[in-house]
Amino acid sequence: MASNPDTRQPQRTCAGCGTNFDQDTLVRVVLSPERTVELDYNRKVPGRGAYFFPHRDCLDRAVKRKAFLRTLRAEGGSVDADRLWETLVRANREQLENGLRLALKAGAVVSGSNNVRAALSGEGVRMILLADDASENTREQFESTAAARGISFARALNQDDIGRILGKAPRAVVAILHPAFERHLMRDKAVYDAIRNRTGCQEKR
């Protein structure tokens, strides 16, 4: 995620690889009252936190180095890497789905290839969301259009999921029409990509 000089984010260090990133690029963990390390995906839990890039290698490195426990001052605490990873995957998917539902409720969604093409003839589209299982031809078409227009582009979820969320038949492509929902979905899209090894922890954004 490129830094905008007008919207600079706090920098945090990945506990696994030691690289500094914008805070939104990383995932936060905290210490529970039971002294277990737990995910704080939305960064709402007060107090001390630790961060890692949402790539399984970074999580495993952080656990092996006991970096979470040191940062959280949790001597004698415990980390279950498999459970933490499963929680991250589930939370990320839920956030993507919730973001799309909120955009739909606000009337900020256009879905279906033909409808999205029509919307792109105007100036209101802020983001294109393409289903992960969309055809390569569809991906190439909409990804190149997004690049040419300077519109955010994301691949996430699948056609059945998107259709279910929208209350429609399966949908391969969705246009998002409001910047607030674009920001929400693009943060979760970056995590989704890292989880699936589409981006590496050294590819600073």
Side-chain angles (χ1 to χ4, degrees):
M1 186 181 301
S3 294
N4 182 323
D6 298 323
T7 58
R8 294 187 188 280
Q9 295 182 25
Q11 294 283 295
R12 297 290 184 265
T13 302
C14 172
C17 67
T19 305
N20 291 329
F21 293 92
D22 286 350
Q23 180 174 273
D24 270 359
T25 306
L26 302 179
V27 175
R28 186 174 189 255
V29 296
V30 296
L31 189 68
S32 75
E34 293 75 28
R35 300 189 67 74
T36 61
V37 175
E38 304 291 344
L39 187 73
D40 180 25
Y41 189 91
N42 290 317
R43 302 195 299 270
K44 291 184 176 180
V45 177
R48 183 175 292 275
Y51 294 81
F52 71 97
F53 186 83
H55 190 288
R56 184 60 197 250
D57 286 348
C58 283
L59 171 59
D60 288 341
R61 283 193 213 113
V63 172
K64 184 176 181 179
R65 296 171 52 211
K66 299 184 178 180
F68 292 148
L69 300 179
R70 285 198 305 274
T71 300
L72 298 173
R73 299 175 182 172
E75 184 177 351
S78 64
V79 187
D80 184 332
D82 289 338
R83 186 173 63 81
L84 202 57
W85 185 254
E86 290 168 3
T87 303
L88 169 61
V89 172
R90 183 172 60 252
N92 175 245
R93 183 183 183 84
E94 288 172 353
Q95 286 297 110
L96 283 164
E97 292 190 1
N98 288 341
L100 189 52
R101 287 191 186 96
L102 289 172
L104 175 66
K105 186 175 181 179
V109 169
V110 173
S111 68
S113 297
N114 291 336
N115 292 333
V116 171
R117 289 189 193 98
L120 286 165
S121 65
E123 299 297 326
V125 176
R126 299 299 302 247
M127 173 186 173
I128 295 173
L129 173 65
L130 188 75
D132 244 344
D133 57 349
S135 70
E136 278 302 298
N137 285 342
T138 301
R139 182 193 64 77
E140 290 172 3
Q141 176 190 139
F142 284 104
E143 188 169 20
S144 63
T145 299
R149 296 282 299 275
I151 296 169
S152 297
F153 179 83
R155 289 169 55 204
L157 306 174
N158 61 49
Q159 296 182 62
D160 288 338
D161 288 334
I162 293 173
R164 171 178 52 79
I165 292 163
L166 301 180
K168 297 181 181 294
R171 288 289 189 269
V173 62
V174 169
I176 303 297
L177 309 180
H178 193 285
F181 302 112
E182 173 201 7
R183 289 192 295 271
H184 179 132
L185 287 164
M186 287 303 289
R187 187 256 169 166
D188 296 316
K189 171 263 183 188
V191 175
Y192 184 93
D193 283 346
I195 287 171
R196 285 154 183 79
N197 296 329
R198 289 177 180 162
T199 56
C201 63
Q202 299 304 323
E203 296 174 21
K204 294 182 65 176
R205 297 179 294 285

